Amino acid sequence: MRKVLLAAVCGAVAVAGVTVPAASDATTSAPGTSRALTWGTCPATTLPTPDLECTTVRVPLDYRQPSGKKITLAISRLPSTDPGRRRGVLLTNPGGPGISGLDFPQLLTLKGLPAPLPASVREQYDVIGIDPRGVGRSTPVTCDLTPEQIAIGNLPYARTPADVTAQARVAKAEAAQCADADTSWMLPHMTTANTARDLDTVRQALGESTASFLGVSYGSYLGAVYTTLFPRTTDRVVLDSVMGPEGYDITAMRGLARGMEDRFPDFAAYAAAHPEYGLGATPARVTRKYHQLADRLRRRPLGIFTESVFRGATFSKLYSTDFDNLAGIWQSLDRGVEPELPDDGADLQNTLAARFAVICGESDWPRSVARYQLDVAVDRVRYPKLGAASANISACAFWHEPSAGPKVAITGHGPSNVLLVQNERDPGTPLVNARRLRVAFGVRARMVTIDQGGHGVYGFGANRCGSDAMNTYLATGERPRQDVFCARETR
C-alpha cells in the first residue's frame, strides 16, 4: 500500500519526496491565463506522468465563510497540443469518492486504451486533474483505520442476522475513529457540493470564464452537482457511467447488487465459451461454480480469499471488459491455489476515510441494525451474488458528523449542455439509476446508451459509437439531437 505524506517544507508541499509549488489562494485572472498559479513537476504516482504539470490551489474549508480556514487542492495540467485552437479547460474526475484524480489526464492518453483521448480533444483543452478535498495530495482526511478494518473493506457478505450484528460493531468503531481522528474538523465539509464549489474555484484560479467537465462513475454525480450549482460557468459537460440524482446514498449502494446481476451473464457466457478454465460448459454451470466457490471459501478461506473477498473481487473484475484475469482467479481458487491480487498503489486508509466522509455525511442512512438485517435478507434473495454485501451495515449508520449544508437537487434548470453516456450492463452504476438522472436533467441532457458491459465508456470501452459521441461533443459542441442507442460492436 502506498503511503502518502503531506508536510510543509520551505514554503512548498513535499509529497512522496517530490516538491510541488506552494499553494496559491484562488483568484480570478484574465480568461485563458493562469497567472495566479506556478506550475512544476508532478509528484510520483503509480502511473508515469511525463506530460503533466502540477500545482496547488487554496480553497475555503467552508464556503459559507470564504475568508476563514483554507485547505489545499493538488491539481495537474495536461497542456493543449495546439494553443492556437485551444477552447479552454476540461476539468476531470475519475470516480470515487476517495480516489485520486491527479494522474487521470495522463491515464486518458495511454495508447493501450481502446480509445485514448484523441487529438481533436487534446488540441481544444488543457485537461485538468484534481485530487478532491480530503484525498491524496490535497489536504487528506484519515480515520486511523486498522489493517483489519481495511481488509474488511466495504462489501462484507452477511449470511445471517448475526453477521450483520457483528459488522455493526466494526462499523460503529470505524465511525467513532473518524470522529476522533485529527482530521475530524474536515468531516462536515467533505461534501459533493463543496467539491463542486472547489471545481469552480479551480476554474477561477486558472483564469477561465467557463470550464468543461468530464466525470466518470461518482464523478458523474459530482459533475451533475457542479453544473447544477454553476450552470452559467460550465461549458460542455460529459458524464460517463452515471449515478442516480441522489448520489452515493443507500439506493446507490444497494444498486451495486443489481449491477452485478446485470453484468454477470457476460462473464458466464465468456467462461463457458473457454473450456480451458474448467469453470463450466454452460453459463448456468458457471453460475453454479460461483456459488460453489463462495460456499467453499466461507467454510475454508484460502489465504486472504474469504467468501466476502471472493464476491467483492469478482464484482470489481466485472468492471473490466477483459475477463481472462477473472477466469484465472476462479480457476486458481477451484484448484486450491491462492491467486495473487496486484497492489494498485492506492492509499486505502485515505480512500476509505474520504469515502466514509462523503457518503456518510451527505446522505441520510438508517440507524437501526434491524433495518439492515431486513435489507440483507431481502437482497440476499433478490440479488444472490452480492445483495447480502451491498445491503450490509456500514459506518454511515453510526456517523457523528452531519454535513454542513443540504444536498443539491438536480434539475433541468440551466443550458442544454449535458451528455450522459452509459453501458447497459454496468455493475457499478446500473442503467436503472442512470435513467433516473436523465429524467432529473430533463431538457438539459442527452443520453447515449450502449449495448455493452463494464464500468466506464470513455477511453476504456470498446464501443466506437459511444466514444465518438463523447469526443464529437467535447471537440465541436455537437451533441445528438435526441437520446441515442449504440448497438454492440464485435471485434
Side-chain angles (χ1 to χ4, degrees):
M1 184 187 308
R2 182 176 59 206
K3 302 297 183 182
V4 179
L5 174 66
L6 294 177
V9 181
C10 299
V13 179
V15 187
V18 178
T19 300
V20 179
S24 301
D25 287 338
T27 56
T28 305
S29 54
T33 70
S34 53
R35 287 178 293 188
L37 302 178
T38 301
W39 297 90
T41 303
C42 287
T45 70
T46 55
L47 176 73
T49 54
D51 302 318
L52 292 187
E53 305 166 327
C54 285
T55 190
T56 52
V57 174
R58 300 279 284 175
V59 299
L61 171 69
D62 185 347
Y63 277 89
R64 299 170 302 181
Q65 301 177 24
S67 299
K69 188 176 181 63
K70 300 288 176 53
I71 58 176
T72 298
L73 298 182
I75 69 173
S76 65
R77 177 173 68 178
L78 180 70
S80 164
T81 57
D82 187 351
R85 297 189 61 184
R86 180 183 178 280
R87 178 179 179 84
V89 295
L90 177 64
L91 307 178
T92 63
N93 181 277
I99 295 178
S100 168
L102 205 63
D103 59 8
F104 190 51
Q106 189 77 67
L107 178 64
L108 290 172
T109 69
L110 295 183
K111 295 181 179 179
L113 295 178
L117 201 69
S120 60
V121 175
R122 289 283 308 277
E123 66 189 13
Q124 290 281 333
Y125 301 97
D126 291 344
V127 184
I128 306 298
I130 305 172
D131 275 1
R133 59 171 52 207
V135 176
R137 293 156 181 84
S138 296
T139 304
V141 294
T142 183
C143 290
D144 297 324
L145 299 175
T146 67
E148 292 75 19
Q149 289 169 330
I150 292 172
I152 290 171
N154 62 344
L155 289 175
Y157 192 84
R159 285 185 173 264
T160 67
D163 291 340
V164 179
T165 301
Q167 177 58 23
R169 291 192 289 270
V170 175
K172 187 174 184 179
E174 291 172 337
Q177 288 165 219
C178 294
D180 292 340
D182 290 342
T183 56
S184 61
W185 53 271
M186 289 184 63
L187 296 182
H189 310 286
M190 287 285 296
T191 66
T192 302
N194 278 339
T195 302
R197 295 180 180 105
D198 291 343
L199 292 176
D200 199 62
T201 303
V202 168
R203 171 194 65 78
Q204 295 177 56
L206 294 170
E208 301 291 334
S209 58
T210 62
S212 294
F213 181 81
L214 169 63
V216 183
S217 191
Y218 166 76
S220 69
Y221 177 59
L222 172 60
V225 172
Y226 175 43
T227 195
T228 297
L229 288 176
F230 303 99
R232 301 302 170 187
T233 56
T234 47
D235 188 10
R236 298 166 184 172
V237 178
V238 175
L239 309 181
D240 176 355
S241 303
V242 182
M243 297 195 75
E246 295 84 15
Y248 231 131
D249 61 359
I250 191 172
T251 299
M253 184 62 72
R254 294 178 70 180
L256 298 178
R258 165 68 182 270
M260 185 163 180
E261 296 292 336
D262 290 346
R263 176 60 164 155
F264 189 86
D266 291 339
F267 173 71
Y270 176 89
H274 289 78
E276 66 270 22
Y277 291 111
L279 302 177
T282 67
R285 291 181 179 178
V286 174
T287 302
R288 284 198 294 272
K289 177 66 71 175
Y290 174 82
H291 293 291
Q292 290 169 359
L293 288 171
D295 188 60
R296 185 188 308 171
L297 292 165
R298 174 182 64 87
R299 291 181 281 110
R300 295 188 304 276
L302 186 58
I304 69 166
F305 273 86
T306 61
E307 176 185 16
S308 291
V309 170
F310 167 69
R311 291 180 186 269
T314 297
F315 171 72
S316 65
K317 295 295 183 182
L318 292 177
Y319 276 41
S320 171
T321 56
D322 178 8
F323 287 147
D324 283 335
N325 185 253
L326 177 56
I329 290 173
W330 280 33
Q331 183 184 54
S332 294
L333 290 170
D334 198 34
R335 293 173 175 176
V337 178
E338 181 186 3
E340 183 177 349
L341 293 179
D343 183 357
D344 66 1
D347 181 359
L348 297 181
Q349 167 72 246
N350 176 237
T351 295
L352 288 174
R355 178 181 176 85
F356 285 151
V358 174
I359 70 175
C360 297
E362 72 178 12
S363 294
D364 293 327
W365 293 80
R367 297 286 180 172
S368 166
V369 175
R371 163 65 187 276
Y372 291 95
Q373 290 172 327
L374 176 61
D375 288 349
V376 163
V378 170
D379 284 8
R380 186 188 301 114
V381 175
R382 182 185 295 168
Y383 305 122
K385 297 179 183 66
L386 196 68
S390 57
N392 205 353
I393 195 167
S394 74
C396 298
F398 305 98
W399 201 246
H400 300 267
E401 304 289 345
S403 64
K407 292 181 76 169
V408 175
I410 309 302
T411 73
H413 302 305
S416 185
N417 65 340
V418 179
L419 179 65
L420 313 179
V421 186
Q422 176 71 30
N423 289 330
E424 277 196 308
R425 299 177 300 284
D426 187 322
T429 53
L431 178 61
V432 61
N433 288 337
R435 286 174 170 162
R436 292 174 55 242
L437 185 65
R438 172 68 183 90
V439 170
F441 267 128
V443 296
R444 288 201 69 184
R446 301 288 185 272
M447 183 164 171
V448 177
T449 305
I450 302 167
D451 182 2
Q452 178 174 274
H455 187 58
V457 177
Y458 198 72
F460 303 96
N463 187 282
R464 189 174 296 104
C465 168
S467 295
D468 285 352
M470 302 170 86
N471 289 330
T472 298
Y473 180 47
L474 287 173
T476 70
E478 181 181 345
R479 288 185 314 168
R481 294 184 178 180
Q482 57 189 11
D483 291 353
V484 172
F485 178 79
C486 292
R488 182 181 305 195
E489 294 180 356
T490 58
R491 290 175 180 263

